[in-house]
Amino acid sequence: MTRYVMAIDLRRCVGCQTCTAACKNANATPPGVQWRRVLDLETGEFPDVRRSFVPVACMHCDEPPCEEVCPTKATTKRPDGLVAIDYDTCIGCANCVMACPYEARSIVHDVKFAYGDKPIKSEEVRFDPARIAVSMKCTFCIDRIDLAAKTGQVPGRDPDVTPACVNSCISGAMAFGDLDDPDSKVSRLLAETQHFRMHEELGTGPGVYYIWDKK
């Protein structure tokens, strides 16, 4: 089977926010809504202080709590591991927003654009009225993943079918691919590094792995 996951090398991330901007451009999310964010963290005590950058978004969990609380079954986990939302079925109740331990979901009730009442070009092209008053989140660029099934391309290897944030990363900190394929980039990266998943103790089985050191 296929299990798409993301691997993020925290040793490489420089906090440039290019992934955030690429996601914004690719998905035309409303002002104030970022599906891809980068946490800026400081740890330690002076003079031994460290600054770290941690990209976060929907974790596409194995056991998504958002799916469990959805009264209309609008949120579903696909066989390939992606957690998807059916905007036509979602009623905007916000149960999933409250259930998500990663604060990855948003609901916007009014049409808003970055600069006033008129959309800029990227917003005009990508604006989706179906996303108003319903839950929305990072989809791992699900339209690109679905395109791969038609073209025979490989997500994580071919840019056209790889999430925008991964394509944009200037330091090569982000990787995407099929965890069940031992030859995929993510499988090889995880096999040779030490890594963790955010809030694993909750039993959600996040589909995003954070690399912090070599084995």
Side-chain angles (χ1 to χ4, degrees):
M1 293 187 66
T2 298
R3 173 56 168 116
Y4 288 119
V5 301
M6 186 174 289
I8 301 174
D9 193 333
L10 299 180
R11 303 168 299 176
R12 286 177 169 267
C13 181
V14 297
C16 67
Q17 307 274 351
T18 302
C19 58
T20 302
C23 175
K24 189 80 171 176
N25 180 69
N27 296 289
T29 55
V33 175
Q34 305 286 8
W35 290 356
R36 169 68 58 189
R37 298 173 291 131
V38 180
L39 304 182
D40 188 342
L41 307 175
E42 289 188 7
T43 55
E45 295 182 3
F46 180 83
D48 185 16
V49 179
R50 182 185 183 92
R51 191 178 183 192
S52 302
F53 304 102
V54 183
V56 295
C58 173
M59 298 292 170
H60 294 272
C61 302
D62 290 330
E63 301 292 337
C66 53
E67 181 184 33
E68 184 178 347
V69 300
C70 181
T72 64
K73 307 302 180 185
T75 292
T76 55
K77 178 178 169 54
R78 303 193 337 172
D80 62 5
L82 272 63
V83 176
I85 302 173
D86 184 341
Y87 299 134
D88 292 332
T89 306
C90 179
I91 58 175
C93 68
N95 282 3
C96 60
V97 176
M98 295 181 285
C100 177
Y102 306 102
E103 300 182 353
R105 290 179 170 238
S106 303
I107 296 179
V108 173
H109 294 279
D110 301 307
V111 177
K112 296 179 181 178
F113 299 111
Y115 301 100
D117 296 331
K118 293 184 178 181
I120 59 177
K121 194 64 177 179
S122 62
E123 291 175 320
E124 184 179 1
V125 171
R126 297 177 178 85
F127 173 70
D128 185 357
R131 294 200 312 233
I132 300 300
V134 297
S135 181
M136 57 180 170
K137 66 175 188 67
C138 159
T139 67
F140 271 173
C141 289
I142 197 168
D143 55 326
R144 301 184 184 205
I145 306 304
D146 290 342
L147 177 64
K150 300 175 182 177
T151 63
Q153 294 171 290
V154 179
R157 186 190 70 189
D158 299 309
D160 288 345
V161 293
T162 298
C165 56
V166 177
N167 287 337
S168 72
C169 183
I170 64 172
S171 62
M174 306 178 79
F176 184 84
D178 181 5
L179 186 63
D180 289 344
D181 177 3
D183 295 322
S184 69
K185 184 176 181 179
V186 287
S187 292
R188 288 186 279 108
L189 274 174
L190 296 177
E192 61 192 32
T193 57
Q194 297 184 67
H195 49 268
F196 67 92
R197 293 183 293 174
M198 195 172 288
H199 296 313
E200 286 186 273
E201 72 278 6
L202 298 178
T204 56
V208 178
Y209 293 77
Y210 292 95
I211 296 168
W212 60 277
D213 203 355
K214 60 184 179 181
K215 280 190 175 179

